[in-house]
Amino acid sequence: MLPFDSEENYCLACALNEMIPALSAPQRRRWWGNMETAKRHLLYSLLSLQLPVQSRSEHAQGLAFAFLEDKRMNPAVAEDYVATGYRQGLITVNLAEADELSREMTRVQMNEPYRTLLGHFRHESGHYYFERLIRDDKHLVVFRQLFGDESLDYASALANYYENQRSLNSAYTDPSSPFISCYAQAHPLEDWAECWAHYLHMTDTTETAAQFGIIDADIDRSDFSSWSSHWERVTVALNALNRSMGLRDAYPFVLSDAVLTKIHFVHRVIDPR
C-alpha cells in the first residue's frame, strides 16, 4: 500500500523485487505469496531496527530480491539448479523453498533441525548488512577476532563443509560449541549470517512474546544480558508448548557463551549505543 500522494508505483516491499515467479499457475501464486509474507516479516524487523532499506534503483548499495525456479520445480526453465544465496545486493531465493513439502524434504536430506523460509531471508540479509555495516569499517577488527578471516576462499570452504557435513551436526546440541549451527562452521561469513539471522529471531520473537504477556512488555533490549535471559525463558516455553502438541522442538539451538558473544557483537553493530 502507498500513501495517496505518493509518486511511486510500488510500496517499499514490492520495489525491492527484481524477479518474481511466473504467475500463470495458481500454485506459483501461492508460493509467491509465501515468499512475500516472509520477506515482509523480514522488512518489518529491519525497519524496526532502523537499518537502511533501499532499492538498488535508488541507492548504489541498495537491496533487491529475485525468486527463481530451476528444472526440479519447472522443467520449462533453463536453469538446472538455482541456489538460494546472496551477491552484490541481490538476495536470490529458490522458489522451491516456498513449497512446504519440498523444503521439508530438503531439511531432512540435509539433516537440519531447522529450515524455514523466513530463516532464509534473515540469513541472506546478514550477508547484505555485512557489506553495509562492517566491511572496511571499525567493526572489522572485532569481527575477525570473533568469526575469523572473511577473505578465506569461499568456494573451497563450502566444498569442504558439504564434504564433511555429517560429522558436524553436534553444533546444534553441544553447549560448548562456538557455532550457532552446523552451517555456521562453513565460513566466517556464514557464521556471521547465522548469528545475524538468530538476532532477528530473538528480536521479533521476544517482541511477540511481550505482546502476549509471556515476558515483561517493557523489556529493555539495550541491556543485552537481561534481554538474552528473557529469550531463554521464551525458548523453553516454545519447546514445551510444541512438545505438548506432539511436535518437534520449535527452537533446536543451544546458545553457548561463545555464541552469545557473537550475537552480542551483532547487537552492538546494529545498536551501538
Side-chain angles (χ1 to χ4, degrees), residues 115-188:
R115 187 183 186 93
T116 68
L117 193 53
L118 179 56
H120 283 309
F121 278 93
R122 286 174 171 165
H123 173 96
E124 300 305 338
S125 75
H127 291 298
Y128 171 71
Y129 284 103
F130 175 83
E131 294 186 349
R132 290 295 301 263
L133 304 177
I134 292 184
R135 188 179 293 282
D136 302 325
D137 189 77
K138 61 182 180 181
H139 295 299
L140 190 57
V141 173
V142 180
F143 172 90
R144 288 174 174 169
Q145 292 172 349
L146 293 175
F147 296 92
D149 184 359
E150 81 289 351
S151 67
L152 293 173
D153 186 85
Y154 184 80
S156 298
L158 250 61
N160 180 67
Y161 166 77
Y162 285 117
E163 182 178 347
N164 299 285
Q165 180 190 8
R166 291 287 171 175
S167 64
L168 301 176
N169 285 320
S170 62
Y172 285 100
T173 57
D174 184 354
S176 64
S177 174
F179 300 101
I180 186 64
S181 69
C182 298
Y183 190 53
Q185 301 173 71
H187 189 276

Side-chain angles (χ1 to χ4, degrees), residues 213-224:
I214 298 173
I215 57 175
D216 297 336
D218 58 351
I219 179 176
D220 183 6
R221 190 169 49 84
S222 63
D223 183 348
F224 184 82

Side-chain angles (χ1 to χ4, degrees), residues 21-269:
L23 301 180
S24 55
Q27 191 175 38
R28 290 193 184 90
R29 291 178 179 269
R30 178 172 61 84
W31 291 340
W32 184 38
N34 293 344
M35 288 283 195
E36 291 296 334
T37 298
K39 188 186 75 178
R40 281 160 169 75
H41 213 133
L42 167 69
L43 294 178
Y44 169 81
S45 296
L46 299 180
L47 294 171
S48 296
L49 292 169
Q50 300 182 355
L51 290 163
V53 180
Q54 301 150 307
S55 69
R56 295 208 295 186
S57 62
E58 65 177 347
H59 194 280
Q61 292 181 299
L63 178 63
F65 294 88
F67 309 136
L68 305 180
E69 292 181 276
D70 58 33
K71 288 186 180 297
R72 294 174 297 171
M73 298 292 284
N74 184 357
V77 300
E79 292 81 4
D80 290 324
Y81 178 76
V82 169
T84 294
Y86 170 83
R87 185 177 183 182
Q88 297 178 340
L90 179 66
I91 291 175
T92 299
V93 185
N94 191 316
L95 191 62
E97 293 293 337
D99 176 64
E100 292 84 353
L101 177 59
S102 176
R103 187 175 63 252
E104 179 64 9
M105 290 175 62
T106 302
R107 186 192 69 80
V108 173
Q109 180 184 12
M110 300 292 290
N111 200 23
E112 297 172 342
Y114 177 88
R115 187 183 186 93
T116 68
L117 193 53
L118 179 56
H120 283 309
F121 278 93
R122 286 174 171 165
H123 173 96
E124 300 305 338
S125 75
H127 291 298
Y128 171 71
Y129 284 103
F130 175 83
E131 294 186 349
R132 290 295 301 263
L133 304 177
I134 292 184
R135 188 179 293 282
D136 302 325
D137 189 77
K138 61 182 180 181
H139 295 299
L140 190 57
V141 173
V142 180
F143 172 90
R144 288 174 174 169
Q145 292 172 349
L146 293 175
F147 296 92
D149 184 359
E150 81 289 351
S151 67
L152 293 173
D153 186 85
Y154 184 80
S156 298
L158 250 61
N160 180 67
Y161 166 77
Y162 285 117
E163 182 178 347
N164 299 285
Q165 180 190 8
R166 291 287 171 175
S167 64
L168 301 176
N169 285 320
S170 62
Y172 285 100
T173 57
D174 184 354
S176 64
S177 174
F179 300 101
I180 186 64
S181 69
C182 298
Y183 190 53
Q185 301 173 71
H187 189 276
L189 290 177
E190 298 303 342
D191 192 7
W192 156 264
E194 288 286 86
C195 289
W196 174 276
H198 216 84
Y199 183 80
L200 297 186
H201 292 336
M202 295 169 67
T203 301
D204 198 10
T205 309
T206 50
E207 178 184 330
T208 303
Q211 289 293 321
F212 282 89
I214 298 173
I215 57 175
D216 297 336
D218 58 351
I219 179 176
D220 183 6
R221 190 169 49 84
S222 63
D223 183 348
F224 184 82
S225 178
S226 175
W227 182 61
S228 59
S229 294
H230 280 80
W231 172 244
E232 181 179 0
R233 178 182 173 187
V234 170
T235 59
V236 169
L238 274 174
N239 287 345
L241 288 167
N242 265 30
R243 291 171 190 176
S244 295
M245 292 294 294
L247 301 171
R248 69 172 184 267
D249 285 356
Y251 188 76
F253 301 94
V254 173
L255 300 186
S256 66
D257 289 342
V259 168
L260 278 172
T261 299
K262 292 176 180 179
I263 295 175
H264 192 193
F265 173 71
V266 175
H267 172 79
R268 296 200 308 273
V269 169

